[in-house]
Amino acid sequence: MSLLRPLLKDWQWPVAAMLVSAFMLAAAHAFETFGKLYPCPLCLRQREVYWALLAMTLTGLALWKAKPKRRFLVALNVLIGLVFGVGAVVAFFHSGVEWGIFPPPEGCSGSGPIDLMNIGDLDKPMTVPSCTDAPFYVAGLSMAGWNGVVSTVLAVASFFAAGATYRGARTS
C-alpha cells in the first residue's frame, strides 16, 4: 500500500483514474475492432461510464487548476468513486444478465453479430449482439464481470484517495 500512497493523494489520483478509464475504453475498442467482439447495449452502457468519468475529471481538474482548493480535490475524488461505483453496478448487472440472474432489459435480446466495418446494403436492418451471451470467461468471469471487479477496486481506491487528500489538507 505504501507504493500507492503517493498516487492516492492530491491531483495524482484523478489523473490516474483518467488513464485507467482511457485504457479500459481502448481495451474495449480493441476487442471490438481486432477481436470482432461487437458490443451489446449493456456493454455500451459500461463504456458510457468511462466516457463520463473522463469528461467529469478533465473538467474538474481544469476548474481546480483555475482555483486550487484541496477541498475541491476531495470532492472530485469522491465523485470519481461514485462514478466508478455506478460502473460496478452496471457491470455486475450485465454479469447477472449473462448468468440468467436478471432478465435482460428491452433491446438486449440480440439478433446476431454485427460487422460495423461492412457497409453493405444500408437499407437492411443492423443486428445487435445479445446481452445474455458472454463471448468468453476468464477465471469464471466474463468481460462484464471483470469490468465490475476493476470498477469496484477503482471506486474503493477513489474513496481512499479522497481520505488521503483530506488528511493532507489537515496536516499541511
Side-chain angles (χ1 to χ4, degrees):
M1 184 68 176
S2 63
L3 293 174
L4 294 177
R5 188 165 289 134
L7 181 66
L8 296 178
K9 193 172 178 190
D10 298 330
W11 58 267
Q12 289 94 337
W13 179 249
V15 170
M18 286 190 342
L19 291 173
V20 171
S21 294
F23 172 78
M24 294 296 283
L25 286 167
H29 287 290
F31 276 111
E32 178 181 343
T33 303
F34 303 115
K36 302 292 184 209
L37 299 176
Y38 300 112
C40 71
L42 285 176
C43 294
L44 293 173
R45 184 73 61 209
Q46 291 173 77
R47 292 182 193 182
E48 289 172 3
V49 173
Y50 290 114
W51 285 114
L53 187 127
L54 284 169
M56 179 195 75
T57 306
L58 193 59
T59 303
L61 285 174
L63 291 172
W64 174 76
K65 187 73 173 157
K67 189 166 181 147
K69 297 281 186 189
R70 192 174 297 269
R71 287 181 299 177
F72 184 81
L73 282 178
V74 172
L76 181 60
N77 285 334
V78 169
L79 286 173
I80 290 169
L82 292 172
V83 171
F84 278 133
V86 168
V89 168
V90 172
F92 286 133
F93 174 75
H94 189 184
S95 291
V97 168
E98 291 172 343
W99 284 96
I101 298 170
F102 306 117
E106 188 154 335
C108 281
S109 60
S111 53
I114 180 173
D115 185 0
L116 298 175
M117 300 303 161
N118 183 8
I119 303 178
D121 189 1
L122 295 177
D123 292 335
K124 291 182 183 177
M126 299 177 86
T127 56
V128 177
S130 173
C131 296
T132 60
D133 300 330
F136 60 86
Y137 291 90
V138 175
L141 291 177
S142 65
M143 292 170 68
W146 282 110
N147 186 30
V149 170
V150 169
S151 293
T152 301
V153 168
L154 293 171
V156 170
S158 298
F159 294 125
F160 274 112
T165 301
Y166 177 75
R167 284 189 298 281
R170 294 179 58 213
T171 58
S172 51

